[in-house]
């Protein structure tokens, strides 16, 4: 039986989302005959954790669905055993990269990847705690439908199952490595406010996310499309495209990867950095691995915390670090794009050592560009005034720390990428022997 992992990382109250994602898991098991492992990775505080445990305990016992709900202590125990058995160097440092004390979008997904390996899954399907499903004729529209239809199958065999194909025929014999959609609804609440306050400042700030050297017309198009998802049009029917999927067209709340990708290369574990979890989408695109783009978009919404002053400042830090990660990541992307098909070995597998090498080289990028980026961001925020001026003061006060962290984050990624295949092999080898996996597998909700 095909075994897949539908994962929901969270650090905030989301009992309703847990119930909704459990319904998607049941749909996948019922519709496709798969064994769906619903994996909730919980970094919430004690009160919210208890709320989530109650929500998980109340889930119906759906055939083919196995539910795992792991708090950080349980995750840490699993990680420590696997890292130790892997023989990877710098055990404690690798453990910190897998489970840092600060928010990391890449690290939480890396933990899902590694646990999915231990569970014997062939794919990972990620959702987010601040997401809802669209409905059509009173029924939820689940992205898992397209993910399980196409993922891992030869692209040529999928071509008759999609609305259209824009895939290079030379890639037809390669398996579908990624299936994804985007979101509809609110764009990022904080950058949307910048756009309303001053469109010129918005263009300056969002323009920092565009790699240097882009023609002006492309640059303006990228700025216009960034942080907007798929707009606001409701779902009225399926439309799927077999293609090399652009990272601009999909969102990590609505994505699925075949294990041939995440089993070989991890995500950057950078802390307090939005966008750090998009790396594999770029890698799949540059390696010319087939993907399917669909329109079963997730409904985006923002929690009350995101609209608070504390939530605002936390997001601005993560946004600033995203902009500062750009020169490093863009150096890697330039290398992966230039490599193209050479990113794959003779068997069609991603060459993990090459990616780790690119990351190591990118850590050495001159920080002068980042210093200028930070200056532009601080000036722009001071021009906006109000709480943006407060954010500007905060960022200026962290200037040297932020510049140092941008380089350190890429060095950390190079280290983790170099050890990743050791970790995934150890995870698979210890799957049936690890007590955490055994105990949760015996207790489906």
């Amino acid at each position: 039986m095909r075994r897949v992992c539908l994962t929901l990382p969270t650090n905030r109250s989301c009992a309703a989302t847990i119930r909704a994602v459990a319904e998607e898991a049941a749909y996948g098991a019922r519709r496709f005959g798969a064994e769906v492992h619903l994996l909730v990775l919980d970094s919430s505080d004690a009160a919210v954790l208890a709320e989530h445990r109650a929500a998980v305990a109340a889930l119906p016992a759906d055939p083919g669905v196995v539910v795992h709900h792991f708090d950080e202590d349980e995750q840490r125990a699993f990680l420590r055993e696997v890292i130790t058995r892997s023989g990877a160097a710098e055990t404690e440092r690798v453990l910190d990269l897998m489970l840092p004390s600060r928010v990391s979008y890449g690290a939480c997904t890396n933990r899902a990847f590694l646990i999915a390996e231990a569970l014997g899954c062939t794919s990972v399907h990620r959702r987010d705690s601040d997401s809802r499903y669209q409905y059509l004729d009173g029924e939820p529209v689940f992205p898992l439908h397209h993910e399980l239809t196409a993922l891992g199958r030869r692209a040529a065999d999928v071509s008759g199952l999609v609305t259209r194909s824009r895939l290079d025929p030379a890639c037809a014999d390669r398996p579908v490595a990624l299936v994804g959609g985007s979101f509809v609804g609110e764009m990022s609440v904080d950058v949307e406010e910048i756009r309303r306050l001053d469109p010129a400042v918005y263009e300056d700030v969002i323009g920092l996310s565009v790699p240097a050297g882009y023609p002006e017309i492309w640059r303006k198009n990228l700025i216009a499309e960034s942080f907007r998802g798929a707009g606001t049009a409701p779902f009225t029917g399926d439309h799927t495209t077999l293609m090399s999927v652009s990272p601009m067209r999909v969102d990590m709340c609505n994505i699925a990867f075949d294990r041939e990708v995440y089993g070989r290369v991890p995500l950057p574990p950078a802390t307090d950095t939005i966008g750090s979890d998009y790396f594999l989408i770029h890698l799949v695109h540059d390696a010319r691995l087939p993907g399917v783009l669909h329109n079963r978009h997730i409904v985006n919404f923002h929690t009350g915390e995101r609209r608070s002053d504390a939530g605002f400042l936390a997001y601005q830090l993560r946004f600033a670090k995203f902009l500062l990660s750009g020169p490093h990541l863009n150096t890697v992307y330039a290398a992966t794009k230039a490599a193209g098909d050479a990113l794959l070995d003779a068997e069609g597998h991603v060459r993990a050592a090459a990616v780790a090498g690119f990351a190591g080289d990118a850590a050495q990028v001159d920080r002068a560009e980042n210093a200028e980026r930070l200056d532009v961001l601080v000036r722009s925020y001071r021009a906006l005034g109000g709480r943006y001026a407060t954010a500007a003061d905060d960022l200026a006060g962290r200037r040297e720390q932020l510049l140092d962290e941008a380089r350190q984050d890429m060095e950390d990624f190079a280290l983790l990428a170099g050890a990743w295949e050791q970790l995934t092999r150890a995870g698979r080898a210890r799957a049936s022997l690890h007590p955490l996996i055994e105990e949760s597998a015996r207790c489906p909700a």
Side-chain angles (χ1 to χ4, degrees):
M1 179 183 289
R2 180 183 187 183
R3 185 178 295 179
V4 304
C5 176
L6 177 60
T7 189
L8 177 67
T10 184
N11 65 352
R12 56 191 166 197
S13 179
C14 65
T17 304
I18 290 173
R19 290 189 289 269
V21 176
E23 290 181 16
E24 185 175 24
Y27 171 86
R30 182 174 65 252
R31 174 67 174 77
F32 292 90
E35 182 176 289
V36 182
H37 287 253
L38 173 57
L39 174 63
V40 181
L41 296 179
D42 209 330
S43 297
S44 305
D45 61 35
V48 173
L49 178 64
E51 173 191 325
H52 291 169
R53 291 209 185 281
V56 168
L59 293 175
D62 290 303
V65 177
V66 183
V67 183
H68 312 267
H69 181 204
F70 299 150
D71 63 24
E72 284 205 347
D73 288 341
E74 292 166 322
Q75 294 173 54
R76 185 174 292 104
F78 167 80
L79 292 169
R80 184 177 294 282
E81 179 178 335
V82 170
I83 293 167
T84 300
R85 292 185 182 277
S86 76
E90 299 188 65
T91 299
E92 290 303 317
R93 184 179 174 196
V94 173
L95 179 60
D96 286 342
L97 297 181
M98 290 296 297
L99 188 57
S101 58
R102 294 157 63 184
V103 170
S104 172
Y105 302 96
C108 70
T109 311
N110 284 338
R111 297 197 295 275
F113 290 156
L114 198 55
I115 293 173
E117 289 288 272
L119 291 168
C121 296
T122 59
S123 56
V124 167
H125 312 249
R126 200 187 101 168
R127 307 292 180 257
D128 280 354
S129 56
D130 56 351
S131 304
R132 298 188 179 105
Y133 298 104
Q134 294 193 78
Y135 279 73
L136 180 67
D137 298 330
E139 296 295 327
V141 179
F142 293 129
L144 195 60
H145 179 90
H146 294 308
E147 294 168 355
L148 294 183
T149 294
L151 207 59
R153 300 180 64 177
R154 196 171 69 104
D157 297 331
V158 172
S159 62
L161 305 175
V162 294
T163 307
R164 64 174 178 168
S165 176
R166 294 174 52 194
L167 188 71
D168 184 339
C171 302
D173 285 333
R174 296 178 179 177
V176 173
L178 175 155
V179 178
S182 187
F183 65 87
V184 292
E186 298 178 90
M187 69 180 293
S188 178
V189 63
D190 304 300
V191 295
E192 194 278 334
E193 184 180 47
I194 298 174
R195 186 168 62 91
R196 283 190 289 106
L197 289 172
D198 192 325
V201 169
Y202 179 82
E203 184 167 326
D204 289 342
V205 169
I206 303 303
L208 295 173
S209 68
V210 179
Y214 265 62
E216 186 60 20
I217 188 170
W218 291 5
R219 180 179 179 276
K220 286 186 176 295
N221 286 338
L222 285 172
I223 291 171
E225 292 180 9
S226 294
F227 298 95
R228 301 187 66 85
T232 58
F235 180 85
T236 57
D238 284 307
H239 190 279
T240 52
T241 306
L242 180 65
M243 64 188 301
S244 179
V245 177
S246 165
M248 291 291 293
R249 303 294 301 278
V250 292
D251 191 85
M252 281 298 291
C253 69
N254 191 356
I255 200 84
F257 293 100
D258 185 80
R259 72 155 306 275
E260 281 298 321
V261 177
Y262 66 77
R264 300 180 186 279
V265 179
L267 293 167
T271 56
D272 294 321
T273 307
I274 65 167
S276 60
D277 48 350
Y278 280 68
F279 182 84
L280 292 183
I281 307 174
H282 288 267
L283 182 62
V284 167
H285 179 270
D286 293 345
R288 300 199 330 130
L289 292 171
V292 170
L293 178 68
H294 65 78
N295 66 331
R296 294 193 172 203
H297 304 308
I298 294 290
V299 179
N300 185 52
F301 72 96
H302 297 297
T303 62
E305 183 272 339
R306 277 295 303 279
R307 301 181 189 280
S308 68
D309 288 342
F312 169 82
L313 288 174
Y315 181 85
Q316 295 308 324
L317 172 63
R318 295 167 193 172
F319 180 58
K321 288 199 64 180
F322 158 70
L323 295 175
L324 297 179
S325 72
H328 299 282
L329 286 172
N330 290 336
T331 299
V332 180
Y333 297 150
T336 55
K337 182 178 181 180
D341 288 344
L343 285 169
L344 306 178
D345 62 21
E347 286 73 44
H349 305 312
V350 175
R351 295 172 55 234
V355 177
F358 295 151
D361 293 342
Q364 306 310 313
V365 170
D366 190 324
R367 76 181 205 166
E369 181 180 350
N370 261 345
E372 176 58 24
R373 282 175 172 232
L374 190 54
D375 288 343
V376 170
L377 188 62
V378 169
R379 286 198 304 269
S380 297
Y381 279 10
R382 284 189 171 138
L384 291 173
R387 61 179 185 171
Y388 287 93
T390 302
D393 291 342
D394 183 59
L395 295 174
R398 300 173 185 246
R399 178 185 176 82
E400 294 305 312
Q401 174 191 340
L402 291 172
L403 295 175
D404 289 342
E405 283 186 4
R407 172 171 290 183
Q408 185 62 55
D409 287 342
M410 188 54 62
E411 291 177 352
D412 290 341
F413 179 42
L415 172 69
L416 188 61
W420 188 248
E421 288 189 291
Q422 291 174 263
L423 298 178
T424 56
R425 282 196 297 269
R428 290 195 301 276
R430 303 305 299 178
S432 63
L433 301 179
H434 194 280
L436 178 65
I437 299 301
E438 286 187 330
E439 180 179 357
S440 64
R442 286 198 301 267
C443 303

